């Protein structure tokens, strides 16, 4: 079975609106395995590193200020195709283009308040996990996997 992992982060608006549990619930109920979870107030430098690929975008300063506006909750989920499927579960970046049933489609309206982040490739997921969880993540086996995977 693939050991693919993704980094999912509830942004400050999602934390303040009380959506952390809802987002965890969706990944749990799908069958993905939680490997790490933390609430923290990241520094500007940390966020600029996380969003380094976007530093030349016109919305970059606004994005960093938004992400600095309160605590975030970061998590690592493991499972088959979790990077791609995780982004499907989050919905399109612009919530008005997100399908109903996705997290952004159900709970957000504006792109600058879109509640959550999900890694966009396996390679970036591993970079983000190393950035946000420098001490590593939990490794464990679950007996329930035999009811989830064929
Ligand atoms: P994320 O990294 O947060 O999962 O989002 P994403 O890959 O779907 O989208 P990306 O292009 O990487 O943008 C990162 C975040 O920047 C904000 N954004 N604002 N036009 C705008 O004002 C604009 N475009 C993007 C969003 O919060 C987006 O999630």
């Amino acid at each position: 079975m693939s050991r693919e992992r993704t980094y999912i982060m509830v942004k400050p608006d999602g934390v303040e609106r009380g959506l952390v549990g809802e987002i965890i619930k969706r990944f749990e109920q799908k069958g993905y395995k939680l490997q790490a979870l933390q609430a923290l107030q990241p520094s500007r430098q940390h966020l600029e590193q996380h969003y380094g690929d976007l530093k030349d975008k016109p919305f970059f300063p606004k994005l960093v200020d938004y992400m600095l506006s309160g605590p975030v909750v970061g998590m690592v989920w493991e499972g088959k195709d979790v990077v791609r499927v995780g982004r499907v579960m989050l919905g399109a970046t612009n919530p008005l283009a997100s399908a109903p049933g996705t997290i952004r489609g159900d709970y957000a309206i504006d792109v600058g308040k879109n509640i959550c982040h999900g890694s966009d490739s396996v390679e970036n997921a591993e970079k983000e996990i190393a950035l946000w969880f420098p001490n590593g993540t939990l490794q464990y086996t679950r007996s329930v996997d035999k009811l989830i995977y064929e």
Side-chain angles (χ1 to χ4, degrees), residues 103-116:
I103 293 163
R104 289 166 175 160
D106 287 350
Y107 297 111
I109 294 175
D110 274 344
V111 69
K113 300 279 182 209
N114 65 355
I115 295 178
C116 46

Side-chain angles (χ1 to χ4, degrees), residues 6-87:
T6 193
Y7 178 66
I8 300 293
M9 177 164 56
V10 188
K11 297 177 177 181
D13 51 329
V15 174
E16 204 162 324
R17 289 179 56 194
L19 293 169
V20 174
E22 174 65 25
I23 293 168
I24 291 175
K25 187 183 83 173
R26 289 180 181 220
F27 280 83
E28 266 188 325
Q29 291 187 341
K30 176 75 176 166
Y32 288 131
K33 182 165 79 172
L34 185 63
Q35 277 196 341
L37 176 68
Q38 69 179 347
L40 81 165
Q41 179 83 63
S43 67
R44 181 177 292 276
Q45 186 197 13
H46 194 98
L47 289 164
E48 287 177 350
Q49 203 175 337
H50 172 80
Y51 280 124
D53 292 350
L54 301 176
K55 66 178 186 307
D56 296 327
K57 298 278 185 193
F59 59 82
F60 183 74
K62 196 176 103 183
L63 170 62
V64 173
D65 285 346
Y66 157 46
M67 294 299 296
L68 278 169
S69 66
V72 300
V73 172
M75 50 195 102
V76 177
W77 291 93
E78 181 203 81
K80 198 178 202 173
D81 217 4
V82 68
V83 171
R84 183 187 65 80
V85 174
R87 282 177 69 89

